[in-house]
Amino acid sequence: MTHSADVLIAGGGIGGLTAALSLHAAGIEPLVLESAREIRPLGVGINLQPAAVRELDELGLLDELAALGVPAEQHLFADGRGRTLFAEPRGTAAGYNWPQFSVHRGELQMMLRDAVVKRLGPEALRTGVQVEDFTESADGVRVHALDRAAGTQLTFSAEALIAADGIHSTIRALLHPEQGPLQWNGVTMWRGVTEADAFAPGNAVVIAADDKNTQFVAYQISREALNAGRTRINWVALVPTGEPGPLSADVNWNAPGTIDDLLPHYADWHADWADLPELFARSEQILEYPMVDRDPLPSWGRGRVTLLGDAAHPGYPSGANGGTQAVIDARVLAYHLAVAPSVPSALASYESERREVTSAIVLANREMDRVGRNKSPEPGAPSGEAMKRVTAAYRKAVGEAEELNGRASLTPPGVERR
């Protein structure tokens, strides 16, 4: 039996679910195929930049997002002793019309999933379906998938196939078999979430580094905890542990980590805004992951098939922009599918608008990482002036406040804002 939809989306993450909501709002029927048998609130914190918050606002989800996350008002760069090197305003404090929200990634995904089920119906989201291959014709795409529970093969047909299946994208590998392995920068990241009485820097994202190229990031992620007089702190420890180079694709974003591997790297740190050993010890869980990306592609898709989010442009988390760019991809994709004369021309326009921008952000993330951890021939911790220069360049790469505030809406003509 063949199942059909206007657009098939492989992947029920942030980008795939936002694409489904955006397509539905434009009168296009999507079907999301998610390989996990159940969507659960996995992971830790992420930051949604004002550009993504604007798009979720257009979808009528701003109130739900504000009830989950914490608006970040400042990025505070510090050294291993806790001394501030440089601080810059964020979100509305930086002149944007929308906030920057720090939020639990899993809770954001569940919010989007609930919106898809409510607006499109539960049949619009199929879990436990692993996309394995596709065949394209002049008038459509046939997708071959595995029902993971039953062990049987499934076939789906649509006018377009969107790969939002993450950094290990099956469809990207089919489109680009020459892509090679993931590229590791030699850094291992340990991540966790800890509930505490308070977070001294308040609504700031703290980014600290020492003279050994070790880095630490922390910020609040829960409006519910704040309403209860507590705080949930998302933290990330970034430590050089090996030589940069290619890495096997067999890496798991949610692999468990241990405090014993992490703690020795911060023995000399003394920050008055956090007791790091206590923060690590009280974490709900510790996850370990190598810091990887891929070189930008010269093209994403072909014909009726294209890529979205981490499947298209996986990058370092240095600029806190991965989820944001996936949301924007989804909105631009839906816009062009709504207004273009054909599906191939829509996907070509989408790629033309997004590929160079996201490629520049991948490279800007690398530069942010290099300067933030002072990977340079000169000894010593990163300076405030160096961070000021690199963050100014990064803002230009992703869009300044004036550019975003003045940009036209991505809601297609004739479609009512939710």
Side-chain angles (χ1 to χ4, degrees), residues 335-415:
Y335 179 88
H336 286 292
L337 281 169
V339 303
S342 69
V343 167
S345 65
L347 299 192
S349 296
Y350 156 71
E351 180 178 327
S352 176
E353 182 170 340
R354 293 297 295 154
R355 188 177 59 78
E356 288 190 10
V357 172
T358 54
S359 295
I361 292 172
V362 168
L363 300 180
N365 284 342
R366 290 179 179 177
E367 179 65 6
M368 180 79 79
D369 170 66
R370 185 191 70 80
V371 174
R373 292 186 305 102
N374 194 43
K375 292 195 300 184
S376 64
E378 295 79 19
S383 70
E385 285 303 313
M387 292 310 305
K388 187 179 296 186
R389 287 194 300 272
V390 76
T391 55
Y394 194 87
R395 285 198 308 273
K396 290 182 180 178
V398 303
E400 299 277 3
E402 294 82 0
E403 178 182 338
L404 174 64
N405 293 345
R407 196 200 69 202
S409 171
L410 289 175
T411 297
V415 175

Side-chain angles (χ1 to χ4, degrees), residues 21 56-66 111-112 115 119:
L21 291 167
L56 295 180
D57 185 16
E58 291 273 323
L59 286 170
L61 294 170
L62 183 59
D63 289 344
E64 288 93 332
L65 179 59
M111 181 195 84
L112 294 169
R119 297 180 186 183

Side-chain angles (χ1 to χ4, degrees), residues 283-363:
S283 180
E284 299 168 5
Q285 60 181 337
I286 296 178
L287 304 176
E288 180 179 335
Y289 191 75
M291 193 169 176
V292 294
D293 70 358
R294 293 189 188 276
D295 291 335
L297 290 168
S299 66
W300 285 355
R302 64 170 187 255
R304 295 174 177 272
V305 183
T306 194
L307 309 177
L308 184 149
D310 279 350
H313 44 77
Y316 297 163
S318 312
N321 237 293
T324 292
Q325 296 308 313
V327 168
I328 299 172
D329 284 353
R331 297 286 290 158
V332 172
L333 172 77
Y335 179 88
H336 286 292
L337 281 169
V339 303
S342 69
V343 167
S345 65
L347 299 192
S349 296
Y350 156 71
E351 180 178 327
S352 176
E353 182 170 340
R354 293 297 295 154
R355 188 177 59 78
E356 288 190 10
V357 172
T358 54
S359 295
I361 292 172
V362 168
L363 300 180

Side-chain angles (χ1 to χ4, degrees), residues 70 102-103 199 202-204 218-222 226 231-234:
V70 177
S102 302
V103 64
F199 184 57
N203 287 15
Y219 49 88
Q220 300 181 95
I221 60 169
S222 174
L226 286 176
T231 183
R232 292 184 77 201
I233 303 168
N234 180 84

Side-chain angles (χ1 to χ4, degrees), residues 25 96 235 255 279 378-379:
Y96 292 93
W235 56 264
L279 204 64
E378 295 79 19

